[in-house]
Amino acid sequence: MARPKIGETDRSNSTDKVEKILQGAMQEFLAHGYAATSMDKVAEAAGVSKATVYSHFQDKEGLFKALIEKLAKKRFQKILGTQALQGEPYIVLRRLAKTALHQMIDDPEYQSFERLLIGESARFPGLAQIFIGSIAKPAIETISKYIASRPELNIPDPEATARILIGSLVHFVMTQEIMHGKNIMPMESDRLIDALTHLIINCAE
Amino acid sequence: MARPKIGETDRSNSTDKVEKILQGAMQEFLAHGYAATSMDKVAEAAGVSKATVYSHFQDKEGLFKALIEKLAKKRFQKILGTQALQGEPYIVLRRLAKTALHQMIDDPEYQSFERLLIGESARFPGLAQIFIGSIAKPAIETISKYIASRPELNIPDPEATARILIGSLVHFVMTQEIMHGKNIMPMESDRLIDALTHLIINCAE
DNA sequence: GTCTATATAATGATAGAC
DNA sequence: GTCTATCATTATATAGAC
């Protein structure tokens, strides 16, 4: 709604529409990007009229920002819901890499989200930064702390090494899936995982 | 260059227009993306009329594809023009990483190109594949061969390791520059280079 | 080959009925 | 709050003059 008042009891009717609009917006923006998505299509996908969309969101840009922030929060929950990082590095790092890789590969929504954020990162730098701050940064910090907690790994810069780990995985999904390179330069994901764990673990020896 | 046709007069004028159109298209598409770029703006940026644009390119999609293919070729030249990979791994890998990283960081056109290709990789999968085949694949192959040529590195899977190297560098530029994360999670590029060379070199010991 | 002018369609956003 | 109907603008693409 346009002006929420303090202490106002939410009308569930209205909240439902907002949710439907965000659902429709997600479908359209993720499929076609920002500029190629029309408010008519959003309204149609949401099952409401266009005027209703404009009664809940100021304009196209406002709707887009609200959607991206919602999706970033959702991803944040999904990723931080992974298993706690503790135990033998060989086990933990392999499981971490395998889990993260397959979560990205098996999730078309994640891939569309990446396309959208990167594609619009010039027009909406603040939204890309929300993604960085709420997803990439905590992920790197978590891994960095784990690496630092295992002195037997003998890694002088845990944070930089965490970036190498994450960067390798994300870029693998970027080339193979998001940019459709898996038929042009195929590689089993296990080979990447093996090579990564080899680099990180065997360095200590 | 252009194929000379019998009886054609004034062909250099026409070729000039094509070049001007592609220049204008580059400026607009790189700045605003595919959908948000109008043929009017392309014509204006190129200094020609819109009808002239349509006389040389079938439609917006055709112009876009021609531009991306041209840019991919240009990048291909630019990247393969790097120094030959031979010599001591510590020297070669550090120089490679440093050069590649700064070429990407100091090149806004590259960053816009990445935004464009990834953002449009759902609508134009073939164009993303051209990029993969003409840039990412040869780069990985070159590094892979170098790694394989140095058995003292003791790396069991050179190709997967080459992907880790490239992936770390590209993803670093992706988060820091393209997605504007350098103020949110800052890191000196030298730290990444140090950590990478540490992982790859010290593993052999 | 290149231009000006225009046809046709779609877009973001709003007015007013209920 | 939600809808239908509509406005003003802008888009892709083309016709016809020179």
Side-chain angles (χ1 to χ4, degrees):
Chain A
M1 65 197 72
R3 298 170 197 164
K5 295 173 186 172
I6 299 172
E8 185 183 14
T9 50
D10 247 345
R11 290 210 152 198
S12 54
N13 244 357
S14 171
T15 323
D16 281 355
K17 295 274 181 184
V18 169
E19 190 50 42
K20 281 173 70 178
I21 292 167
L22 285 170
Q23 273 293 328
M26 182 177 80
Q27 177 186 310
E28 295 299 314
F29 281 125
L30 286 185
H32 308 114
Y34 178 76
T37 290
S38 73
M39 296 296 265
D40 289 81
K41 291 283 183 60
V42 169
E44 189 185 336
V48 302
S49 78
K50 190 161 58 167
T52 300
V53 176
Y54 277 98
S55 80
H56 288 283
F57 299 91
Q58 194 183 6
D59 52 16
K60 187 181 179 182
E61 196 169 314
L63 172 59
F64 184 67
K65 288 180 178 172
L67 172 70
I68 296 297
E69 284 169 21
K70 184 195 166 196
L71 287 179
K73 276 183 194 161
K74 184 174 151 193
R75 292 264 141 229
F76 178 75
Q77 305 288 353
K78 195 166 187 174
I79 288 185
L80 286 222
T82 48
Q83 62 277 317
L85 295 189
Q86 47 186 357
E88 274 299 314
Y90 181 81
I91 305 290
V92 169
L93 291 178
R94 277 195 74 90
R95 188 182 54 198
L96 170 73
K98 199 181 186 80
T99 303
L101 208 47
H102 283 94
Q103 267 189 358
M104 292 187 280
I105 289 175
D106 298 336
D107 191 347
E109 186 182 304
Y110 160 78
Q111 295 168 24
S112 296
F113 191 46
E114 282 274 332
R115 276 194 199 99
L116 188 57
L117 272 179
I118 294 170
E120 302 299 338
S121 59
R123 198 199 301 249
F124 301 104
L127 294 183
Q129 288 176 323
I130 288 177
F131 176 82
I132 295 287
S134 69
I135 297 176
K137 191 163 186 257
I140 288 169
E141 277 173 359
T142 303
I143 296 172
S144 176
K145 279 178 190 159
Y146 171 76
I147 293 177
S149 78
R150 309 298 301 202
E152 74 268 35
L153 285 174
N154 196 30
I155 286 178
D157 193 336
E159 190 187 333
T161 307
R163 290 202 189 214
I164 292 167
L165 177 57
I166 296 273
S168 307
L169 299 175
V170 171
H171 188 255
F172 185 81
V173 179
M174 192 72 77
T175 56
Q176 304 302 103
E177 306 293 331
I178 295 178
M179 299 192 79
H180 310 98
K182 62 182 160 192
N183 295 322
I184 299 171
M185 44 176 212
M187 171 169 284
E188 286 297 313
S189 59
D190 278 347
R191 282 178 62 189
L192 188 77
I193 295 171
D194 288 343
L196 261 174
T197 51
H198 173 82
L199 282 183
I200 296 176
I201 307 272
N202 289 25
C203 263
E205 294 171 358
Chain B
M1 307 302 285
R3 281 178 302 169
K5 289 176 186 174
I6 299 171
E8 188 181 9
T9 63
D10 206 19
R11 63 176 175 268
S12 60
N13 246 354
S14 172
T15 323
D16 282 355
K17 296 273 181 184
V18 169
E19 190 50 43
K20 280 172 71 179
I21 293 167
L22 284 170
Q23 273 293 327
M26 182 178 79
Q27 177 185 312
E28 294 300 313
F29 281 124
L30 285 184
H32 308 113
Y34 178 78
T37 291
S38 74
M39 295 297 264
D40 288 83
K41 291 285 182 59
V42 169
E44 189 184 336
V48 301
S49 77
K50 191 161 57 167
T52 300
V53 176
Y54 278 97
S55 80
H56 288 283
F57 299 92
Q58 194 182 9
D59 52 17
K60 186 181 180 181
E61 196 171 313
L63 172 60
F64 184 67
K65 288 180 179 173
L67 172 70
I68 297 296
E69 284 167 21
K70 184 196 165 192
L71 287 179
K73 276 183 194 161
K74 184 175 150 191
R75 292 264 142 230
F76 178 74
Q77 305 289 354
K78 194 166 187 173
I79 289 185
L80 284 222
T82 48
Q83 62 277 314
L85 296 188
Q86 47 185 355
E88 273 300 314
Y90 181 79
I91 305 290
V92 169
L93 290 178
R94 276 195 75 89
R95 188 182 52 198
L96 170 72
K98 198 180 186 78
T99 303
L101 209 47
H102 283 94
Q103 266 189 359
M104 292 187 283
I105 289 175
D106 298 335
D107 190 348
E109 186 183 304
Y110 161 79
Q111 295 169 22
S112 296
F113 190 45
E114 282 274 331
R115 276 193 198 100
L116 188 57
L117 270 178
I118 294 171
E120 301 299 339
S121 60
R123 197 199 301 249
F124 301 104
L127 295 183
Q129 288 176 322
I130 287 177
F131 176 82
I132 296 286
S134 69
I135 297 176
K137 191 164 185 258
I140 289 169
E141 276 172 0
T142 302
I143 296 172
S144 176
K145 278 177 192 161
Y146 172 76
I147 293 177
S149 78
R150 310 299 299 204
E152 74 267 34
L153 285 173
N154 196 28
I155 286 176
D157 192 336
E159 191 188 331
T161 307
R163 290 203 189 213
I164 292 168
L165 176 57
I166 295 274
S168 307
L169 299 176
V170 171
H171 188 256
F172 185 80
V173 179
M174 191 73 75
T175 56
Q176 305 301 104
E177 305 293 332
I178 295 178
M179 300 192 77
H180 310 99
K182 61 182 161 191
N183 294 323
I184 300 170
M185 44 177 211
M187 170 169 285
E188 286 296 313
S189 59
D190 279 347
R191 281 179 62 190
L192 187 76
I193 295 171
D194 289 343
L196 261 174
T197 50
H198 174 82
L199 282 184
I200 296 177
I201 307 271
N202 291 23
C203 261
E205 297 169 358

